Amino acid sequence: TVVEMASNISSIFSQTSANSEGITEQGMTFLDTPKEQGELVELKLLLYDSENKNTVPTKETTKIYENDEPVEVVSIEKLDIPPSVVLLLDSSGSMRAEMKPAVEAAKTFVQGLPDNATIQVIDFDNTARKLEGTTKAEVLQSLDSVSAGGYTALYDAVMMGLDLLVGAQRPTLVIFTDGKNEPVSGGLTDKSIVVDAIIESGVPVYTIGFGKEHAPVTPAEAPDGELSDDDDEEGTEARESDLIDFAKISDG
């Protein structure tokens, strides 16, 4: 089955059309397996375009082909599918100076989500643990219990977050942290396990780094006065980190 959209929104079919440049996020995902009901077939699609928040196809702008033959589009309906969000909040000892602004940022993020969203928060330091609640009101209350202390079980928290999102139709993983994975003895240290899990899950990972160590750095100028190819037009480059890697491999 081939689905074609009108040319003005054709860019949504390119899952990675501009992600590498960090300009836009666009794509199409089948929410489940197409269902046959006699001579009718039902398709559930998720279209997303960061430049157009109201991308809605119509019968007039949509064509579906089966074995190169056009079939009739009976109807197109917009589904109200709330997002499922897991927020990982770093509360390790190194976050003491950043803890208050991090919690406030987490609350602002949660308040900006749709009222019908499913929200789960994982608070992690030596270990990762899920806070109580799945609604905005419940999660906002739980965030008041977060305090800083301990090591940073980042990888364990990511794995727990991915587990909580299994089966969700609009899953998103968001990470608020100031550092890298520094777990206690016995914690997960193999980054490749986390990378493979993120890729397999298909969940977009959005990462927010707190602290100046996450800011872009200004590289030294080359002998010929030119900046390296890895630098952007403002002469800065991003530091290498787990946060950048997790976001890139997941189109987050």
Side-chain angles (χ1 to χ4, degrees), residues 55-85:
T55 299
V56 180
T58 66
K59 289 175 58 176
E60 293 71 29
T61 61
T62 305
K63 295 181 181 180
I64 299 179
Y65 295 86
E66 186 68 36
N67 297 325
D68 295 327
E69 294 294 328
V71 299
E72 179 186 0
V73 179
V74 177
S75 66
I76 296 180
E77 301 174 9
K78 186 175 182 179
L79 301 175
D80 183 17
I81 302 175
S84 296
V85 179

Side-chain angles (χ1 to χ4, degrees), residues 80-85 113-119 165 168-172:
D80 183 17
I81 302 175
S84 296
V85 179
L113 293 172
D115 290 338
N116 60 352
T118 298
I119 312 162
L165 290 169
Q169 289 190 324
R170 292 184 60 192
T172 302

